[in-house]
Amino acid sequence: MEDEVVIASSSLEAGIGCWDLRSGAEHLRYRSCASPPHGLVSVAGRFLASSQLRDSSSSSGSVLFWSWNKPQVEVKSFPAEAINPLACNTDGTYIVGGGVSGHIYLWEVATGRLLKKWHGHYRPVTCLVFSNDQSLLISGSEDGTVRVWSLLMIFDEEGQQRAGHLYEYSFTGHALPVTDIVTGYGGSNAIILSASLDRTCKVWSLARGTLLRNIVFPSIIDAVALDPGEHVFYAGGRDGKIYIAELNAQTTSNNNNNNNNYGLHIIGTLSDQSKAICSLGFALDGFQLVVGSEDGMVRVWDTKTRNIIRVFKHAKGPVNNIVVMRQPAALYPRTAGNNNNNNNQGPMARRHVALPPPLEKYSSIDEHSELNAFITPRSNSYDVTSYTTLQSMNNQINELQQHGSSGASEMELERLKLDCKRSMQMVQQWKKMYQNLNQFCVGELLNGEADETNLML
């Protein structure tokens, strides 16, 4: 079993708690954090990032970075407005933030540059999540809409003019603010699951752009988690119950009537009479469900036996963010140095991990300059992609060549060269696919002509 950690934060000044999922041992407690819901992310396992919104009525906020082996904030950013949710792609190349104005911001992590800002919603953004292939960004808002954005389209001005809008889909089924969003597997063919204050969870099809299912709950749902097998999902209610709902049950003709399908597809609950459920997350095994509650506790449920197997005490206030991930190499328990001599803690325990610069408040990129973007497949996996920009890549290469060959610059240059190599590999794959398709079509054509000749004879 792989070592995993549970990371939790609260909207109050309770810091960030971090525990070993298997042993229950607490790692470092990260200080000075008051994060809004969905405002805590691990950036590719390299460091933690969290938006801060200490006053909901304030128009300003910050985004903070922590390294794994230090409890203090190391990097502070001050965006143009208060940021609610944060999301990052799998490689940790980009961070996306949703503003209280409805704008969405996309930053490049390595440089802190603000690459793009666009108007996403008419009310504050509440949720942001990437599709599993990293090509799409899904956002939810207080205006009740769920919108799907292509990372290519947001840089394609000609495509935007042809389409008349920036988003791929705009789902408007919710009557009240969206509280949570999760996506399934399958990239552009995946499903989207959204929850709302209107006490419903809706299942959307990315392939069709339509609503597949509407499920009404007895309580407001603030958090959802999708079973890895995508047979059921878990919905955390403000009544303290975690509802289990089916995704693949047969739909009846009454499903469009909320009065008739009340509770339809709900097949069970997990409950220990705790306070409102604020956040949910699955462990890598797909069976342990980690639950953050309003009472400041983090509970781990075994979804097979439907029993609580572990409890973590965070602090006062609601646990509104849960992140479950593999234990980073740089993260060590506080007692690691007591097991051996202090001089034998290992290189990672003593090495200072350099964090990226602060995120830009305003874009330094010329709006009239040409900005190209593409999706490149990762060499170690055919179903995970990474997003980058050609202009950013070329600019960084030039800067690194001008500023010498420090260790960090060399690492960054190697990463950029690898991105170029991946893009060339993708071109070769396309050429090979085209050749195979051409040979197949020619073969079919020749076989068809041969059959016709035989029939004539």
Side-chain angles (χ1 to χ4, degrees):
M1 180 184 295
E2 293 187 74
D3 291 333
E4 297 174 66
V5 292
V6 176
I7 305 166
S9 67
S10 172
S11 57
L12 302 181
E13 281 284 359
I16 303 174
C18 181
W19 301 268
D20 186 285
L21 178 61
R22 183 166 52 178
S23 68
E26 184 175 8
H27 295 288
L28 283 174
R29 177 65 65 105
Y30 305 96
R31 303 170 187 168
S32 303
C33 180
S35 60
H38 313 296
L40 176 69
V41 293
S42 167
V43 182
R46 298 198 301 268
F47 61 92
L48 282 175
S50 177
S51 54
Q52 303 291 296
L53 193 60
R54 289 175 171 79
D55 183 1
S56 59
S57 62
S58 174
S59 60
S60 63
S62 60
V63 176
L64 310 180
F65 293 169
W66 291 263
S67 63
W68 290 111
N69 48 14
K70 284 191 175 183
Q72 299 86 4
V73 175
E74 292 201 54
V75 177
K76 295 183 179 181
S77 304
F78 298 94
E81 63 171 310
I83 300 297
N84 282 331
L86 286 178
C88 67
N89 62 334
T90 301
D91 291 337
T93 316
Y94 302 94
I95 285 182
V96 182
V100 295
S101 68
H103 283 92
I104 299 176
Y105 301 79
L106 189 148
W107 290 278
E108 187 176 48
V109 173
T111 63
R113 291 175 179 172
L114 177 59
L115 300 182
K116 192 70 176 179
K117 166 191 171 184
W118 70 96
H119 183 68
H121 296 271
Y122 296 102
R123 297 287 302 277
V125 183
T126 57
C127 312
L128 287 172
V129 62
F130 279 92
S131 61
N132 77 298
D133 67 354
Q134 312 298 296
S135 65
L136 301 173
L137 178 71
I138 300 94
S139 63
S141 169
E142 287 187 9
D143 60 18
T145 61
V146 175
R147 287 184 169 173
V148 181
W149 313 89
S150 166
L151 294 182
L152 292 179
M153 180 65 78
I154 63 173
F155 289 100
D156 184 1
E157 295 184 359
E158 293 183 1
Q160 296 169 25
Q161 292 176 358
R162 290 193 300 268
H165 51 72
L166 195 58
Y167 51 79
E168 294 287 315
Y169 297 113
S170 182
F171 301 125
T172 58
H174 287 297
L176 292 173
V178 177
T179 56
D180 199 4
I181 294 175
V182 295
T183 63
Y185 293 96
S188 59
N189 295 314
I191 62 170
I192 298 174
L193 175 63
S194 60
S196 170
L197 293 180
D198 62 9
R199 301 191 180 193
T200 68
C201 286
K202 300 182 186 295
V203 184
W204 313 90
S205 169
L206 273 176
R208 302 176 185 176
T210 58
L211 176 65
L212 298 179
R213 177 149 299 156
N214 178 60
I215 303 175
V216 183
F217 291 86
S219 172
I220 291 176
I221 303 299
D222 284 315
V224 288
L226 187 61
D227 176 80
E230 298 189 17
H231 300 298
V232 300
F233 70 90
Y234 296 80
R238 291 192 180 179
D239 58 0
K241 296 180 180 179
I242 304 168
Y243 295 92
I244 309 172
E246 285 185 305
L247 281 173
N248 301 321
Q250 292 295 322
T251 303
T252 67
S253 59
N254 292 330
N255 276 7
N256 293 327
N257 188 330
N258 287 349
N259 294 327
N260 292 334
N261 77 334
Y262 185 85
L264 192 65
H265 307 312
I266 300 175
I267 60 175
T269 60
L270 305 176
S271 177
D272 68 340
Q273 297 182 349
S274 64
K275 292 187 177 181
I277 306 300
C278 302
S279 53
L280 297 173
F282 261 110
L284 297 179
D285 61 11
F287 298 111
Q288 297 180 78
L289 181 66
V290 185
V291 182
S293 302
E294 191 179 35
D295 59 6
M297 306 297 291
V298 178
R299 296 171 175 84
V300 182
W301 288 81
D302 186 324
T303 56
K304 289 182 177 180
T305 63
R306 299 191 179 183
N307 293 320
I308 296 176
I309 57 178
R310 194 162 292 110
V311 179
F312 306 125
K313 172 66 175 177
H314 181 251
K316 62 180 181 179
V319 179
N320 58 6
N321 286 296
I322 289 287
V323 176
V324 185
M325 57 176 289
R326 292 181 177 87
Q327 179 171 317
L331 179 60
Y332 281 78
R334 287 178 295 182
T335 57
N338 297 332
N339 297 332
N340 301 299
N341 190 295
N342 289 337
N343 295 328
N344 299 321
Q345 293 183 17
M348 287 302 299
R350 299 168 57 184
R351 183 187 305 167
H352 176 71
V353 179
L355 295 185
L359 305 176
E360 281 185 345
K361 187 171 185 177
Y362 303 106
S363 177
S364 59
I365 298 176
D366 184 1
E367 294 182 356
H368 300 289
S369 63
E370 183 180 358
L371 183 62
N372 299 315
F374 60 94
I375 305 294
T376 58
R378 295 175 61 181
S379 58
N380 60 346
S381 176
Y382 66 89
D383 62 346
V384 180
T385 58
S386 61
Y387 167 79
T388 187
T389 61
L390 289 175
Q391 183 192 49
S392 174
M393 182 185 298
N394 292 331
N395 290 342
Q396 288 185 59
I397 291 176
N398 292 334
E399 290 180 3
L400 293 174
Q401 290 174 343
Q402 293 173 2
H403 288 83
S405 58
S406 65
S409 298
E410 290 178 359
M411 292 177 61
E412 186 66 16
L413 185 59
E414 288 299 319
R415 183 184 70 80
L416 294 171
K417 289 180 179 178
L418 181 59
D419 285 340
C420 291
K421 181 179 178 181
R422 289 171 179 169
S423 65
M424 295 303 299
Q425 290 175 346
M426 181 180 66
V427 172
Q428 295 301 322
Q429 291 173 3
W430 286 347
K431 288 182 178 179
K432 185 176 181 180
M433 291 173 61
Y434 174 79
Q435 292 173 355
N436 293 339
L437 181 60
N438 182 64
Q439 293 175 1
F440 173 79
C441 294
V442 171
E444 289 292 312
L445 180 61
L446 294 176
N447 291 336
E449 291 178 352
D451 292 340
E452 290 180 1
T453 303
N454 292 333
L455 289 174
M456 293 176 64
L457 295 175

